[in-house]
Amino acid sequence: MNESEASLTSPPDDAPRPQHGYSANKDAYLKRLKRIEGQVRGIARMVDEDKYCIDILTQVAAVTKALHAVSLGLVEEHIGHCVVGAAAEPDPERRAEAIDFKVKEATDAIGRLLR
């Protein structure tokens, strides 16, 4: 990341902590992630107890689907908050650069999810 990209993503050291797009739904995300964590522990217990492989795979698929739902929610929040926020940049030159950077972040994240 070069210096201009860092200035688009990182506030100065003395700046207040930025509000992220998911902040309004943080408790819901944490609740879902704790539920997923419990599911993963359940899968480990199933392996430890030598449960039937198809039953374990069914639970792995459920966790994978739950994580994808969290991921899609975070992508939506990023676009709705961070990309839209970049579009509100008053300086036209910085606005274009900020939008491009935030869209690239979203695109890269979506690419990682699809691998």
Side-chain angles (χ1 to χ4, degrees):
M1 177 182 307
N2 66 35
E3 190 174 317
S4 92
E5 287 172 332
S7 70
L8 293 174
T9 60
S10 303
D13 291 336
D14 60 343
R17 194 169 196 171
Q19 179 91 1
H20 296 293
Y22 64 84
S23 294
N25 299 313
K26 183 177 178 177
D27 289 340
Y29 280 114
L30 288 171
K31 184 177 179 180
R32 290 176 87 177
L33 290 167
K34 287 179 194 285
R35 191 176 316 127
I36 292 166
E37 181 182 20
Q39 288 176 287
V40 171
R41 280 195 305 275
I43 293 169
R45 188 170 41 255
M46 290 175 77
V47 170
D48 186 52
E49 295 171 357
D50 295 317
K51 299 294 181 182
Y52 185 54
C53 52
I54 297 301
D55 293 339
I56 296 169
L57 289 170
T58 299
Q59 293 306 310
V60 168
V63 167
T64 301
K65 185 176 178 182
L67 282 171
H68 281 152
V70 169
S71 299
L72 288 174
L74 290 169
V75 167
E76 184 177 348
E77 302 273 9
H78 176 74
I79 292 169
H81 181 267
C82 301
V83 176
V84 170
E89 166 64 45
D91 180 301
E93 187 174 309
R94 282 188 50 88
R95 181 183 322 123
E97 190 176 326
I99 292 170
D100 288 347
F101 183 77
K102 293 298 180 181
V103 168
K104 174 94 169 90
E105 278 185 327
T107 304
D108 290 348
I110 292 166
R112 288 189 299 275
L113 291 172
L114 294 176
R115 280 189 219 137

